[in-house]
């Protein structure tokens, strides 16, 4: 791998660590009486949202490290994976994902996703964007600070920019028109049907 690709992968891994740390900080802020609160993802409670992100992290090691396909994994991560201690379950899932993406050569390979073979680096970029947007969702749901780091906002906007209109409407509502004076975060959220 040439030095520019290596630098790109290093930057991507740093963005991934930052995005996961951001979501992690919001999970740690969830109060014991907040797990059933609604979120901007209209069909999800706080627990459902954290479960979604935990499941996403659990998929990383089988796909990236083990070279398994979605069919290979099957329904192993269907349903609730949080159990009696949601924060601990999230912690375990995120640590496994961080380790898998950071493994030697992990971002140089491909993974088999629902729509076919995908570069592992592209998969990691998708995971960054997902964690950033859902950090905002979780912040709004529990009343935490909704400001997102600008580098992560830019990463999410760049990732979603090409296909925001094709995202599942169960997770991402139709795009909304941002105010004329909207900042980068508001524009990124509007692209995904969220009104900041």
């Amino acid at each position: 791998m040439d030095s520019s690709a290596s630098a790109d992968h290093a930057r991507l891994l740093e963005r991934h660590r930052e995005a996961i740390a951001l979501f992690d900080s919001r999970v740690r802020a969830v109060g014991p009486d907040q797990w059933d609160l609604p979120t901007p993802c209209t069909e999800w409670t706080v627990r459902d949202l954290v479960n979604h992100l935990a499941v996403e992290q659990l998929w990383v090691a089988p796909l990236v490290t083990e070279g398994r396909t979605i069919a290979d994994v099957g329904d192993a991560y269907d349903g609730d994976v949080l159990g009696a201690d949601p924060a601990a379950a999230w912690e375990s899932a995120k640590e496994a994902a961080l380790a898998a993406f950071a493994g030697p050569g992990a971002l140089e390979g491909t993974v088999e996703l629902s729509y076919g073979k995908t570069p592992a680096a592209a998969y990691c970029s998708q995971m960054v964007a997902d964690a950033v947007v859902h950090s905002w969702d979780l912040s709004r749901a529990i009343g935490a600070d909704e400001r997102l780091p600008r580098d992560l906002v830019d990463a999410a906007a760049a990732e979603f920019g090409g296909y925001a209109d094709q995202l599942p409407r169960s997770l991402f509502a139709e795009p909304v028109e941002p105010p004329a004076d909207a900042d980068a975060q508001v524009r990124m959220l509007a692209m995904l049907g969220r009104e900041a």
Side-chain angles (χ1 to χ4, degrees):
M1 181 169 59
D2 65 38
S3 60
S4 67
S6 179
D8 287 347
H9 285 177
R11 279 191 295 274
L12 178 56
L13 285 174
E14 182 58 28
R15 292 293 85 75
H16 182 252
R17 284 190 293 271
E18 290 175 5
I20 294 300
L22 178 65
F23 190 80
D24 182 65
S25 71
R26 299 314 191 259
V27 172
R28 293 177 184 281
V30 176
D33 60 344
Q34 293 184 309
W35 290 99
D36 292 326
L37 291 178
T39 71
C41 303
T42 55
E43 297 180 13
W44 283 351
T45 64
V46 165
R47 184 183 177 94
D48 295 329
L49 178 59
V50 174
N51 187 71
H52 167 70
L53 262 290
V55 168
E56 291 291 304
Q57 307 320 303
L58 290 171
W59 275 100
V60 177
L63 296 176
V64 173
T65 307
E66 301 166 21
R68 296 167 72 188
T69 66
I70 289 176
D72 293 336
V73 177
D75 62 2
Y77 305 127
D78 285 1
D80 186 289
V81 299
L82 298 181
D85 191 341
W90 156 254
E91 174 77 16
S92 176
K94 66 130 177 159
E95 289 300 328
L98 288 167
F101 275 132
L107 295 184
E108 297 169 37
T110 59
V111 293
E112 187 76 39
L113 301 179
S114 58
Y115 48 85
K117 286 195 179 299
T118 303
Y123 175 44
C124 186
S125 179
Q126 292 167 21
M127 296 288 279
V128 168
D130 197 50
V132 171
V133 174
H134 288 318
S135 292
W136 181 85
D137 292 333
L138 187 51
S139 297
R140 164 108 353 150
I142 67 171
D145 182 6
E146 295 179 11
R147 291 304 309 169
L148 303 170
R150 178 59 189 265
D151 60 335
L152 293 180
V153 168
D154 291 345
E159 174 60 36
F160 285 130
Y163 57 84
D165 59 342
Q166 300 166 33
L167 292 166
R169 292 299 162 227
S170 59
L171 305 182
F172 301 98
E174 293 286 343
V176 296
E177 188 67 31
D181 61 349
D183 64 14
Q185 176 172 317
V186 171
R187 289 195 307 274
M188 183 271 290
L189 292 168
M191 180 194 322
L192 302 170
R194 286 149 169 82
E195 296 188 52

